[in-house]
Amino acid sequence: MNFKYLSYLLLIATAAGSACFPHPFVMWLLIVNLLTLVFYGVDKRAARHATSRVPEFTLLLLGFAGGWIGAIVGQQLFRHKTKKQPFKTWFAISVIVNLMVVAGVSWLMKDLFL
């Protein structure tokens, strides 16, 4: 199974699905964090059984897309990717960039909600 393409397909489906709810941003965050948590579990299982792994770029992309809370939970729950460098550094950068993007978009769109 090609996890990279599966994750892209699931992110597109998540975006489309979350748009159907009254609070699409909240639904996006819930679904993408759950999806990220599942992918960390799948990758840990694949690591134990020496099967096809989820690429690190895919895990980073899921975290950057808003799933970094699910990634942190997955790292702790599955004891996975907690010590590996440079993954930890790239993950921290992706979280910071995600927070900056969300803050910037929120600041630009504040007039729409006031």
Side-chain angles (χ1 to χ4, degrees), residues 5-16 28 31 35 39 62:
Y5 295 117
L6 177 63
S7 67
Y8 298 154
L9 180 65
L10 288 173
L11 281 175
I12 292 168
T14 298
W28 167 265
I31 296 169
L35 182 65
F39 268 79
L62 288 166

Side-chain angles (χ1 to χ4, degrees), residues 3 11 15 24 28-29 48 58 63-64 66 69-70 81 99 105 110:
F3 291 110
L11 281 175
W28 167 265
L29 289 177
R48 285 185 176 164
T58 300
F64 175 74
I69 295 171
K81 301 284 187 193
L99 291 173
V105 169
K110 68 181 178 221

Side-chain angles (χ1 to χ4, degrees), residues 11-67:
L11 281 175
I12 292 168
T14 298
S18 65
C20 298
F21 288 94
H23 303 286
F25 184 68
V26 173
M27 289 310 299
W28 167 265
L29 289 177
L30 288 173
I31 296 169
V32 79
N33 276 288
L34 180 62
L35 182 65
T36 304
L37 177 65
V38 168
F39 268 79
Y40 269 80
V42 167
D43 190 44
K44 179 62 175 193
R45 186 169 192 269
R48 285 185 176 164
H49 297 294
T51 60
S52 181
R53 302 280 306 272
V54 177
E56 286 186 353
F57 181 79
T58 300
L59 295 174
L60 290 170
L61 178 70
L62 288 166
F64 175 74

Side-chain angles (χ1 to χ4, degrees), residues 60 81 84-96:
L60 290 170
K81 301 284 187 193
K84 186 170 183 185
Q85 287 292 357
F87 183 84
K88 281 180 52 174
T89 302
W90 284 112
F91 179 73
I93 290 169
S94 72
V95 170
I96 291 167

Side-chain angles (χ1 to χ4, degrees), residues 106-114:
S106 298
W107 183 77
L108 290 172
M109 298 187 74
K110 68 181 178 221
D111 295 331
L112 294 175
F113 299 108
L114 294 178

